[in-house]
């Protein structure tokens, strides 16, 4: 993953084959704060959870890409402020797929 800076960013999501998982992935961008519980987000995103994916969401979702065939690329544009974020994928496993990162203030 390349460094992501503040401001308007166009994100490319490249879908590659993941034979160890057996099904396709999505990816979502989530804004985190000091109260965000990543395990709560994973549980909320689990499509097998009957109480999941209802409002209000446990975090602020900023965009993402749904499953696509291997070799395809999806794009979305987002305006990022300095702070904590995470990439998260909807999975039925307890831990999900999560990659946290920080967007820093480039003016400092």
């Amino acid at each position: 993953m390349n460094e992501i800076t503040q401001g308007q960013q166009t994100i490319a999501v490249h879908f590659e084959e993941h034979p160890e998982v057996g099904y396709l992935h999505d990816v979502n961008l989530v804004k985190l704060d000091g109260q965000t519980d990543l395990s709560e987000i994973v549980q909320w995103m689990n499509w097998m959870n009957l109480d999941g994916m209802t409002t209000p969401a446990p975090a602020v979702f900023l965009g993402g890409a749904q499953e696509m065939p291997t070799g395809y690329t999806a794009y979305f544009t987002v305006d990022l402020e300095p702070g904590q974020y995470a990439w998260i994928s909807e999975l039925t496993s307890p831990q999900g797929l999560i990659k946290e990162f920080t967007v820093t203030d480039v003016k400092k």
Side-chain angles (χ1 to χ4, degrees):
M1 178 175 82
N2 296 336
E3 180 179 346
I4 300 176
T5 58
Q6 75 179 57
Q8 188 176 58
Q9 304 294 327
T10 298
I11 309 294
V13 180
H14 305 283
F15 289 85
E16 298 177 1
E17 187 174 2
H18 293 282
E20 72 279 3
V21 177
Y23 52 90
L24 301 175
H25 294 295
D26 62 332
V27 66
N28 300 276
L29 178 60
V30 180
K31 174 81 166 115
L32 306 176
D33 63 26
Q35 305 302 312
T36 305
D37 181 346
L38 289 172
S39 64
E40 185 179 332
I41 297 170
V42 170
Q43 180 63 20
W44 182 84
M45 289 182 66
N46 183 339
W47 59 269
M48 294 180 72
N49 174 10
L50 297 177
D51 296 322
M53 298 192 188
T54 59
T55 57
V60 176
F61 286 78
L62 302 174
Q66 202 57 9
E67 297 93 349
M68 295 182 82
T70 299
Y72 280 59
T73 301
Y75 299 90
F76 67 97
T77 300
V78 64
D79 192 12
L80 298 175
E81 299 174 355
Q84 293 297 116
Y85 296 83
W87 296 111
I88 187 165
S89 180
E90 171 194 347
L91 285 178
T92 57
S93 65
Q95 73 278 4
L97 287 178
I98 301 168
K99 173 71 174 169
E100 293 183 60
F101 65 97
T102 302
V103 172
T104 56
D105 185 349
V106 295
K107 296 175 188 166
K108 289 184 178 181

